[in-house]
Amino acid sequence: MASTSEKTNILLLGSGGREHALLDKLSQSPRAGKLYVAPGNGGMLALAERADVNPESPVEVAAWALAHSIGLVVIGPEAPLMEGVADACRSVDIPVFGPNLSAARMEGSKKFAKQVMGRAGVPTAAWRSFTDEAEAAAYVARLNGPCVIKADGLAAGKGVIVAADAAEAAAGVHECFNAFGSAGNVVLVEETLSGPECSLLALTDGKTVVPLATSQDHKRAYDGDKGPNTGGMGVYSPVPMVTPEELATMTGIMERVVRQLAKDGTPYSGCLYGGFMLTPEGPKVLEFNARFGDPETQVVLPRMHADLVEVMLACDNGTLSADMVSWEDDWAVAVVLASAGYPGSYEKGKVITGIEQAETLPGVTVYHAGTKLLDDGTLVTSGGRVLAVTAVAATFEAARERAYEAAELIRFDGRFFRTDIGMKAIIGRENL
Ligand code: AMP
Ligand code: GLY
């Protein structure tokens, strides 16, 4: 094993705000050696060199990592996990942060996740799965009311339809079977839960589970949770409405699932993301993701004290311990700046200004997502979610105000953001 003074060269896969936040934290580690990203974005290239490798090709990533003396491959998004990139790197003895394919199915197959939850005795919505569209259609017709329809596989956050009545359920079944390619070969129909949502990320080496701080994403595009679902328009951490009992239940659920996966012969290492609904009967699992959340990472990591290189290596080699991570007693709010039209179609190539000015505000960091640096140094938009503006402060109100003050300073044509990120924490659970 590497001595603690040894530097580790790192290859980080991904190009979102999550990856920029991970890179920022990795770069602060005394153990960080040379940093590479594939493909990265306009902001990440200030901290790392671009690696010319396809992040979704297991063979290419493993070969590139070997050729460049990489001591840690960090997998940001889900797609490389489901291609088996972690397995390929581990097979040539390169440490990886992220689960092998068999365990990444916690995100890659909703049915697999439900079966693990069932064996682990973890509370989640009642469900049934179908491979035949007519059978699923007959089932939702019999239910004749609200239900949730989900494509089994990866559908870029779009494969979930919350149906208010039988007609929406029928349309949802048709969409899931036909609009998501092979991700919709299996379709789940589940019970509708209600309550506030909360994300809990946890680091694990397959045995030890270290929960990170709670956070709450805002998935809808517009204020008041209106409009289409997005990758996430803003987030805050911690979530004050979560009671200590609920947090203990959620932590216990994460531990039971990790234990079950080890018992099943599909041990999980990396970050396990639990998406919970705080129902009147207690927290229940909506979904698991096999990676850090985006934008959750942009508020959780800035509050975390840890040597992220050490922690990630420990997740891979089975030496993770709770004392590697501690928390600042502060608050973080992140507001996502998006391109007009997102999550539908949008224009790219709009010049971005004001980031430097925004970052002069105390506690403010601007994480890049859909940005690109042109050869002449101009920064332009290149995606739907363009930037996440994070502010950390001693009080929730101060963090929220600072994040919006910074967001206003940043300009690009078609910029839009939600103006109510964090309002749920302010108005309180009883008024939701
Ligand atoms: P998922 O990707 O499974 O987390 O689903 C996306 C969103 O759909 C969640 O954040 C919830 O807002 C909603 N959702 C998913 N499952 C349910 C459920 N069983 N009951 C109510 N809402 C749900
Ligand atoms: N913020 C939702 C996700 O990362 O899936």
PDB file of all heavy atoms in Angstrom, residues 110 114 125-126 147-148 150 157 159-162 190-194 197 219-220 229 273 275 277 285-289, ligand 1:
ATOM      1  N   LYS A 110     -33.762  -0.793 -11.421  1.00  0.00           N
ATOM      2  CA  LYS A 110     -34.629  -0.492 -10.273  1.00  0.00           C
ATOM      3  C   LYS A 110     -35.194  -1.773  -9.674  1.00  0.00           C
ATOM      4  O   LYS A 110     -35.438  -1.862  -8.476  1.00  0.00           O
ATOM      5  CB  LYS A 110     -35.724   0.473 -10.695  1.00  0.00           C
ATOM      6  CG  LYS A 110     -35.155   1.869 -11.021  1.00  0.00           C
ATOM      7  CD  LYS A 110     -36.220   2.900 -11.291  1.00  0.00           C
ATOM      8  CE  LYS A 110     -35.657   4.209 -11.789  1.00  0.00           C
ATOM      9  NZ  LYS A 110     -34.912   4.995 -10.802  1.00  0.00           N
ATOM     10  N   LYS A 114     -34.906  -3.023  -5.820  1.00  0.00           N
ATOM     11  CA  LYS A 114     -36.087  -3.410  -5.031  1.00  0.00           C
ATOM     12  C   LYS A 114     -35.882  -4.800  -4.423  1.00  0.00           C
ATOM     13  O   LYS A 114     -36.283  -5.046  -3.279  1.00  0.00           O
ATOM     14  CB  LYS A 114     -37.331  -3.425  -5.929  1.00  0.00           C
ATOM     15  CG  LYS A 114     -37.879  -2.034  -6.265  1.00  0.00           C
ATOM     16  CD  LYS A 114     -38.577  -1.387  -5.081  1.00  0.00           C
ATOM     17  CE  LYS A 114     -39.442  -0.213  -5.509  1.00  0.00           C
ATOM     18  NZ  LYS A 114     -40.010   0.505  -4.351  1.00  0.00           N
ATOM     19  N   ALA A 125     -41.596   1.801  -1.376  1.00  0.00           N
ATOM     20  CA  ALA A 125     -42.954   1.684  -1.908  1.00  0.00           C
ATOM     21  C   ALA A 125     -43.209   0.256  -2.412  1.00  0.00           C
ATOM     22  O   ALA A 125     -42.325  -0.362  -3.008  1.00  0.00           O
ATOM     23  CB  ALA A 125     -43.118   2.676  -3.061  1.00  0.00           C
ATOM     24  N   ALA A 126     -44.428  -0.258  -2.184  1.00  0.00           N
ATOM     25  CA  ALA A 126     -44.812  -1.574  -2.710  1.00  0.00           C
ATOM     26  C   ALA A 126     -44.718  -1.521  -4.234  1.00  0.00           C
ATOM     27  O   ALA A 126     -44.981  -0.483  -4.836  1.00  0.00           O
ATOM     28  CB  ALA A 126     -46.231  -1.902  -2.273  1.00  0.00           C
ATOM     29  N   CYS A 147     -50.404   6.108  -9.161  1.00  0.00           N
ATOM     30  CA  CYS A 147     -49.302   5.157  -8.999  1.00  0.00           C
ATOM     31  C   CYS A 147     -48.072   5.764  -9.679  1.00  0.00           C
ATOM     32  O   CYS A 147     -48.174   6.818 -10.305  1.00  0.00           O
ATOM     33  CB  CYS A 147     -49.632   3.786  -9.596  1.00  0.00           C
ATOM     34  SG  CYS A 147     -49.997   3.837 -11.346  1.00  0.00           S
ATOM     35  N   VAL A 148     -46.938   5.118  -9.510  1.00  0.00           N
ATOM     36  CA  VAL A 148     -45.701   5.628 -10.120  1.00  0.00           C
ATOM     37  C   VAL A 148     -45.171   4.552 -11.064  1.00  0.00           C
ATOM     38  O   VAL A 148     -45.075   3.381 -10.678  1.00  0.00           O
ATOM     39  CB  VAL A 148     -44.654   5.981  -9.035  1.00  0.00           C
ATOM     40  CG1 VAL A 148     -43.382   6.536  -9.666  1.00  0.00           C
ATOM     41  CG2 VAL A 148     -45.248   7.001  -8.056  1.00  0.00           C
ATOM     42  N   LYS A 150     -42.057   3.284 -13.546  1.00  0.00           N
ATOM     43  CA  LYS A 150     -40.611   3.507 -13.696  1.00  0.00           C
ATOM     44  C   LYS A 150     -40.010   2.533 -14.689  1.00  0.00           C
ATOM     45  O   LYS A 150     -40.239   1.322 -14.592  1.00  0.00           O
ATOM     46  CB  LYS A 150     -39.894   3.308 -12.350  1.00  0.00           C
ATOM     47  CG  LYS A 150     -40.330   4.273 -11.266  1.00  0.00           C
ATOM     48  CD  LYS A 150     -39.508   4.119  -9.986  1.00  0.00           C
ATOM     49  CE  LYS A 150     -39.926   5.173  -8.969  1.00  0.00           C
ATOM     50  NZ  LYS A 150     -39.152   5.115  -7.728  1.00  0.00           N
ATOM     51  N   GLY A 157     -32.489  10.154 -15.801  1.00  0.00           N
ATOM     52  CA  GLY A 157     -33.391  10.838 -14.874  1.00  0.00           C
ATOM     53  C   GLY A 157     -34.799  11.044 -15.401  1.00  0.00           C
ATOM     54  O   GLY A 157     -35.613  11.699 -14.765  1.00  0.00           O
ATOM     55  N   GLY A 159     -36.921   8.420 -16.611  1.00  0.00           N
ATOM     56  CA  GLY A 159     -37.758   7.218 -16.679  1.00  0.00           C
ATOM     57  C   GLY A 159     -38.738   7.028 -15.537  1.00  0.00           C
ATOM     58  O   GLY A 159     -39.125   5.899 -15.248  1.00  0.00           O
ATOM     59  N   VAL A 160     -39.174   8.122 -14.891  1.00  0.00           N
ATOM     60  CA  VAL A 160     -40.128   7.993 -13.779  1.00  0.00           C
ATOM     61  C   VAL A 160     -41.344   8.856 -14.064  1.00  0.00           C
ATOM     62  O   VAL A 160     -41.218  10.049 -14.331  1.00  0.00           O
ATOM     63  CB  VAL A 160     -39.484   8.431 -12.440  1.00  0.00           C
ATOM     64  CG1 VAL A 160     -40.509   8.426 -11.315  1.00  0.00           C
ATOM     65  CG2 VAL A 160     -38.300   7.529 -12.095  1.00  0.00           C
ATOM     66  N   ILE A 161     -42.542   8.243 -14.022  1.00  0.00           N
ATOM     67  CA  ILE A 161     -43.766   9.012 -14.239  1.00  0.00           C
ATOM     68  C   ILE A 161     -44.648   8.881 -13.004  1.00  0.00           C
ATOM     69  O   ILE A 161     -45.048   7.776 -12.629  1.00  0.00           O
ATOM     70  CB  ILE A 161     -44.503   8.516 -15.498  1.00  0.00           C
ATOM     71  CG1 ILE A 161     -43.649   8.862 -16.730  1.00  0.00           C
ATOM     72  CG2 ILE A 161     -45.888   9.155 -15.631  1.00  0.00           C
ATOM     73  CD1 ILE A 161     -43.475   7.754 -17.666  1.00  0.00           C
ATOM     74  N   VAL A 162     -44.885  10.017 -12.354  1.00  0.00           N
ATOM     75  CA  VAL A 162     -45.770  10.018 -11.182  1.00  0.00           C
ATOM     76  C   VAL A 162     -47.174  10.298 -11.715  1.00  0.00           C
ATOM     77  O   VAL A 162     -47.492  11.420 -12.110  1.00  0.00           O
ATOM     78  CB  VAL A 162     -45.308  11.082 -10.158  1.00  0.00           C
ATOM     79  CG1 VAL A 162     -46.213  11.071  -8.927  1.00  0.00           C
ATOM     80  CG2 VAL A 162     -43.855  10.842  -9.744  1.00  0.00           C
ATOM     81  N   GLU A 190     -45.307   1.217  -9.017  1.00  0.00           N
ATOM     82  CA  GLU A 190     -45.224   1.216  -7.553  1.00  0.00           C
ATOM     83  C   GLU A 190     -46.216   2.170  -6.895  1.00  0.00           C
ATOM     84  O   GLU A 190     -46.797   3.045  -7.541  1.00  0.00           O
ATOM     85  CB  GLU A 190     -43.795   1.428  -7.062  1.00  0.00           C
ATOM     86  CG  GLU A 190     -43.158   2.753  -7.410  1.00  0.00           C
ATOM     87  CD  GLU A 190     -41.748   2.880  -6.819  1.00  0.00           C
ATOM     88  OE1 GLU A 190     -40.893   2.009  -7.072  1.00  0.00           O
ATOM     89  OE2 GLU A 190     -41.498   3.883  -6.121  1.00  0.00           O
ATOM     90  N   GLU A 191     -46.400   1.931  -5.627  1.00  0.00           N
ATOM     91  CA  GLU A 191     -47.288   2.716  -4.778  1.00  0.00           C
ATOM     92  C   GLU A 191     -46.777   4.160  -4.697  1.00  0.00           C
ATOM     93  O   GLU A 191     -45.574   4.393  -4.665  1.00  0.00           O
ATOM     94  CB  GLU A 191     -47.240   2.044  -3.402  1.00  0.00           C
ATOM     95  CG  GLU A 191     -47.730   2.793  -2.236  1.00  0.00           C
ATOM     96  CD  GLU A 191     -47.172   2.188  -0.923  1.00  0.00           C
ATOM     97  OE1 GLU A 191     -46.201   1.401  -0.944  1.00  0.00           O
ATOM     98  OE2 GLU A 191     -47.727   2.549   0.122  1.00  0.00           O
ATOM     99  N   THR A 192     -47.681   5.135  -4.663  1.00  0.00           N
ATOM    100  CA  THR A 192     -47.287   6.541  -4.536  1.00  0.00           C
ATOM    101  C   THR A 192     -47.088   6.867  -3.058  1.00  0.00           C
ATOM    102  O   THR A 192     -47.977   6.636  -2.235  1.00  0.00           O
ATOM    103  CB  THR A 192     -48.381   7.464  -5.097  1.00  0.00           C
ATOM    104  OG1 THR A 192     -48.677   7.050  -6.418  1.00  0.00           O
ATOM    105  CG2 THR A 192     -47.937   8.916  -5.113  1.00  0.00           C
ATOM    106  N   LEU A 193     -45.907   7.391  -2.752  1.00  0.00           N
ATOM    107  CA  LEU A 193     -45.626   7.811  -1.379  1.00  0.00           C
ATOM    108  C   LEU A 193     -45.771   9.320  -1.297  1.00  0.00           C
ATOM    109  O   LEU A 193     -45.734  10.012  -2.315  1.00  0.00           O
ATOM    110  CB  LEU A 193     -44.196   7.425  -0.993  1.00  0.00           C
ATOM    111  CG  LEU A 193     -43.830   5.945  -1.103  1.00  0.00           C
ATOM    112  CD1 LEU A 193     -42.348   5.745  -0.793  1.00  0.00           C
ATOM    113  CD2 LEU A 193     -44.684   5.108  -0.147  1.00  0.00           C
ATOM    114  N   SER A 194     -45.907   9.839  -0.081  1.00  0.00           N
ATOM    115  CA  SER A 194     -45.945  11.303   0.030  1.00  0.00           C
ATOM    116  C   SER A 194     -45.121  11.770   1.217  1.00  0.00           C
ATOM    117  O   SER A 194     -44.903  11.029   2.177  1.00  0.00           O
ATOM    118  CB  SER A 194     -47.392  11.793   0.163  1.00  0.00           C
ATOM    119  OG  SER A 194     -47.926  11.306   1.357  1.00  0.00           O
ATOM    120  N   GLU A 197     -38.817  15.185   0.438  1.00  0.00           N
ATOM    121  CA  GLU A 197     -37.733  14.309   0.000  1.00  0.00           C
ATOM    122  C   GLU A 197     -36.418  14.732   0.629  1.00  0.00           C
ATOM    123  O   GLU A 197     -36.209  15.897   0.952  1.00  0.00           O
ATOM    124  CB  GLU A 197     -37.610  14.351  -1.523  1.00  0.00           C
ATOM    125  CG  GLU A 197     -38.784  13.669  -2.201  1.00  0.00           C
ATOM    126  CD  GLU A 197     -38.673  13.632  -3.722  1.00  0.00           C
ATOM    127  OE1 GLU A 197     -37.574  13.369  -4.238  1.00  0.00           O
ATOM    128  OE2 GLU A 197     -39.709  13.847  -4.379  1.00  0.00           O
ATOM    129  N   LYS A 219     -35.917  19.181  -7.990  1.00  0.00           N
ATOM    130  CA  LYS A 219     -35.835  18.521  -9.306  1.00  0.00           C
ATOM    131  C   LYS A 219     -36.618  19.225 -10.413  1.00  0.00           C
ATOM    132  O   LYS A 219     -36.265  19.133 -11.584  1.00  0.00           O
ATOM    133  CB  LYS A 219     -36.330  17.077  -9.193  1.00  0.00           C
ATOM    134  CG  LYS A 219     -35.378  16.182  -8.424  1.00  0.00           C
ATOM    135  CD  LYS A 219     -35.520  14.724  -8.824  1.00  0.00           C
ATOM    136  CE  LYS A 219     -34.400  13.860  -8.273  1.00  0.00           C
ATOM    137  NZ  LYS A 219     -34.666  13.257  -6.978  1.00  0.00           N
ATOM    138  N   ARG A 220     -37.690  19.924 -10.046  1.00  0.00           N
ATOM    139  CA  ARG A 220     -38.501  20.566 -11.095  1.00  0.00           C
ATOM    140  C   ARG A 220     -37.821  21.823 -11.612  1.00  0.00           C
ATOM    141  O   ARG A 220     -37.099  22.493 -10.887  1.00  0.00           O
ATOM    142  CB  ARG A 220     -39.894  20.917 -10.562  1.00  0.00           C
ATOM    143  CG  ARG A 220     -40.682  19.729 -10.071  1.00  0.00           C
ATOM    144  CD  ARG A 220     -40.980  18.738 -11.184  1.00  0.00           C
ATOM    145  NE  ARG A 220     -41.993  17.800 -10.751  1.00  0.00           N
ATOM    146  CZ  ARG A 220     -43.273  17.871 -11.120  1.00  0.00           C
ATOM    147  NH1 ARG A 220     -43.680  18.823 -11.962  1.00  0.00           N
ATOM    148  NH2 ARG A 220     -44.134  16.998 -10.673  1.00  0.00           N
ATOM    149  N   ASN A 229     -39.312  17.658 -14.825  1.00  0.00           N
ATOM    150  CA  ASN A 229     -38.192  17.216 -14.011  1.00  0.00           C
ATOM    151  C   ASN A 229     -36.875  17.515 -14.708  1.00  0.00           C
ATOM    152  O   ASN A 229     -36.774  17.439 -15.924  1.00  0.00           O
ATOM    153  CB  ASN A 229     -38.281  15.701 -13.780  1.00  0.00           C
ATOM    154  CG  ASN A 229     -38.896  15.384 -12.434  1.00  0.00           C
ATOM    155  OD1 ASN A 229     -38.630  16.062 -11.434  1.00  0.00           O
ATOM    156  ND2 ASN A 229     -39.728  14.370 -12.405  1.00  0.00           N
ATOM    157  N   TYR A 273     -25.964   6.544  -2.907  1.00  0.00           N
ATOM    158  CA  TYR A 273     -26.864   7.698  -2.776  1.00  0.00           C
ATOM    159  C   TYR A 273     -28.252   7.169  -2.483  1.00  0.00           C
ATOM    160  O   TYR A 273     -28.827   6.438  -3.301  1.00  0.00           O
ATOM    161  CB  TYR A 273     -26.807   8.462  -4.091  1.00  0.00           C
ATOM    162  CG  TYR A 273     -27.837   9.535  -4.378  1.00  0.00           C
ATOM    163  CD1 TYR A 273     -27.434  10.758  -4.876  1.00  0.00           C
ATOM    164  CD2 TYR A 273     -29.201   9.324  -4.227  1.00  0.00           C
ATOM    165  CE1 TYR A 273     -28.365  11.747  -5.198  1.00  0.00           C
ATOM    166  CE2 TYR A 273     -30.130  10.297  -4.537  1.00  0.00           C
ATOM    167  CZ  TYR A 273     -29.714  11.501  -5.017  1.00  0.00           C
ATOM    168  OH  TYR A 273     -30.634  12.467  -5.340  1.00  0.00           O
ATOM    169  N   GLY A 275     -32.095   8.065  -2.030  1.00  0.00           N
ATOM    170  CA  GLY A 275     -33.142   9.068  -2.210  1.00  0.00           C
ATOM    171  C   GLY A 275     -34.330   8.639  -1.350  1.00  0.00           C
ATOM    172  O   GLY A 275     -34.882   7.563  -1.549  1.00  0.00           O
ATOM    173  N   MET A 277     -38.100   9.433   0.898  1.00  0.00           N
ATOM    174  CA  MET A 277     -39.272  10.255   1.157  1.00  0.00           C
ATOM    175  C   MET A 277     -39.584  10.113   2.636  1.00  0.00           C
ATOM    176  O   MET A 277     -39.623   8.989   3.170  1.00  0.00           O
ATOM    177  CB  MET A 277     -40.445   9.809   0.283  1.00  0.00           C
ATOM    178  CG  MET A 277     -41.495  10.877   0.115  1.00  0.00           C
ATOM    179  SD  MET A 277     -42.545  10.520  -1.308  1.00  0.00           S
ATOM    180  CE  MET A 277     -42.121  11.835  -2.422  1.00  0.00           C
ATOM    181  N   VAL A 285     -37.387   4.428   1.030  1.00  0.00           N
ATOM    182  CA  VAL A 285     -36.473   4.636  -0.094  1.00  0.00           C
ATOM    183  C   VAL A 285     -37.263   4.840  -1.390  1.00  0.00           C
ATOM    184  O   VAL A 285     -38.141   4.050  -1.726  1.00  0.00           O
ATOM    185  CB  VAL A 285     -35.534   3.419  -0.265  1.00  0.00           C
ATOM    186  CG1 VAL A 285     -34.636   3.620  -1.488  1.00  0.00           C
ATOM    187  CG2 VAL A 285     -34.705   3.204   0.991  1.00  0.00           C
ATOM    188  N   LEU A 286     -36.930   5.926  -2.108  1.00  0.00           N
ATOM    189  CA  LEU A 286     -37.466   6.127  -3.460  1.00  0.00           C
ATOM    190  C   LEU A 286     -36.566   5.466  -4.480  1.00  0.00           C
ATOM    191  O   LEU A 286     -37.010   4.884  -5.457  1.00  0.00           O
ATOM    192  CB  LEU A 286     -37.542   7.620  -3.796  1.00  0.00           C
ATOM    193  CG  LEU A 286     -38.553   8.465  -3.046  1.00  0.00           C
ATOM    194  CD1 LEU A 286     -38.395   9.927  -3.452  1.00  0.00           C
ATOM    195  CD2 LEU A 286     -39.971   7.979  -3.343  1.00  0.00           C
ATOM    196  N   GLU A 287     -35.272   5.636  -4.285  1.00  0.00           N
ATOM    197  CA  GLU A 287     -34.309   5.085  -5.248  1.00  0.00           C
ATOM    198  C   GLU A 287     -32.929   5.097  -4.634  1.00  0.00           C
ATOM    199  O   GLU A 287     -32.668   5.796  -3.656  1.00  0.00           O
ATOM    200  CB  GLU A 287     -34.268   5.947  -6.514  1.00  0.00           C
ATOM    201  CG  GLU A 287     -33.770   7.360  -6.235  1.00  0.00           C
ATOM    202  CD  GLU A 287     -33.316   8.141  -7.457  1.00  0.00           C
ATOM    203  OE1 GLU A 287     -33.139   7.535  -8.525  1.00  0.00           O
ATOM    204  OE2 GLU A 287     -33.118   9.356  -7.316  1.00  0.00           O
ATOM    205  N   PHE A 288     -32.053   4.298  -5.231  1.00  0.00           N
ATOM    206  CA  PHE A 288     -30.625   4.391  -4.924  1.00  0.00           C
ATOM    207  C   PHE A 288     -29.886   4.802  -6.182  1.00  0.00           C
ATOM    208  O   PHE A 288     -30.271   4.407  -7.292  1.00  0.00           O
ATOM    209  CB  PHE A 288     -30.078   3.040  -4.445  1.00  0.00           C
ATOM    210  CG  PHE A 288     -30.429   2.729  -3.020  1.00  0.00           C
ATOM    211  CD1 PHE A 288     -31.388   1.775  -2.731  1.00  0.00           C
ATOM    212  CD2 PHE A 288     -29.810   3.391  -1.977  1.00  0.00           C
ATOM    213  CE1 PHE A 288     -31.727   1.484  -1.416  1.00  0.00           C
ATOM    214  CE2 PHE A 288     -30.135   3.114  -0.660  1.00  0.00           C
ATOM    215  CZ  PHE A 288     -31.100   2.156  -0.379  1.00  0.00           C
ATOM    216  N   ASN A 289     -28.817   5.584  -6.013  1.00  0.00           N
ATOM    217  CA  ASN A 289     -27.899   5.845  -7.105  1.00  0.00           C
ATOM    218  C   ASN A 289     -26.527   5.340  -6.681  1.00  0.00           C
ATOM    219  O   ASN A 289     -26.217   5.288  -5.482  1.00  0.00           O
ATOM    220  CB  ASN A 289     -27.833   7.339  -7.435  1.00  0.00           C
ATOM    221  CG  ASN A 289     -29.153   7.830  -8.007  1.00  0.00           C
ATOM    222  OD1 ASN A 289     -29.789   7.136  -8.803  1.00  0.00           O
ATOM    223  ND2 ASN A 289     -29.584   9.006  -7.593  1.00  0.00           N
TER     224      ASN A 289
HETATM  225  P1  AMP B   1     -36.494   8.395  -8.666  1.00  0.00           P
HETATM  226  O1  AMP B   1     -35.603   8.648  -9.851  1.00  0.00           O
HETATM  227  O2  AMP B   1     -36.918   6.979  -8.522  1.00  0.00           O
HETATM  228  O3  AMP B   1     -36.012   9.026  -7.391  1.00  0.00           O
HETATM  229  O4  AMP B   1     -37.799   9.251  -8.982  1.00  0.00           O
HETATM  230  C1  AMP B   1     -37.738  10.606  -9.368  1.00  0.00           C
HETATM  231  C2  AMP B   1     -38.738  11.392  -8.564  1.00  0.00           C
HETATM  232  O5  AMP B   1     -40.040  10.826  -8.729  1.00  0.00           O
HETATM  233  C3  AMP B   1     -38.478  11.344  -7.068  1.00  0.00           C
HETATM  234  O6  AMP B   1     -37.551  12.311  -6.670  1.00  0.00           O
HETATM  235  C4  AMP B   1     -39.865  11.598  -6.519  1.00  0.00           C
HETATM  236  O7  AMP B   1     -40.173  12.980  -6.553  1.00  0.00           O
HETATM  237  C5  AMP B   1     -40.760  10.899  -7.520  1.00  0.00           C
HETATM  238  N1  AMP B   1     -41.073   9.523  -7.049  1.00  0.00           N
HETATM  239  C6  AMP B   1     -40.389   8.393  -7.307  1.00  0.00           C
HETATM  240  N2  AMP B   1     -40.975   7.319  -6.722  1.00  0.00           N
HETATM  241  C7  AMP B   1     -42.060   7.794  -6.077  1.00  0.00           C
HETATM  242  C8  AMP B   1     -43.074   7.181  -5.263  1.00  0.00           C
HETATM  243  N3  AMP B   1     -43.105   5.865  -5.032  1.00  0.00           N
HETATM  244  N4  AMP B   1     -44.029   7.987  -4.752  1.00  0.00           N
HETATM  245  C9  AMP B   1     -44.036   9.329  -5.009  1.00  0.00           C
HETATM  246  N5  AMP B   1     -43.124   9.949  -5.751  1.00  0.00           N
HETATM  247  C10 AMP B   1     -42.128   9.198  -6.286  1.00  0.00           C
END
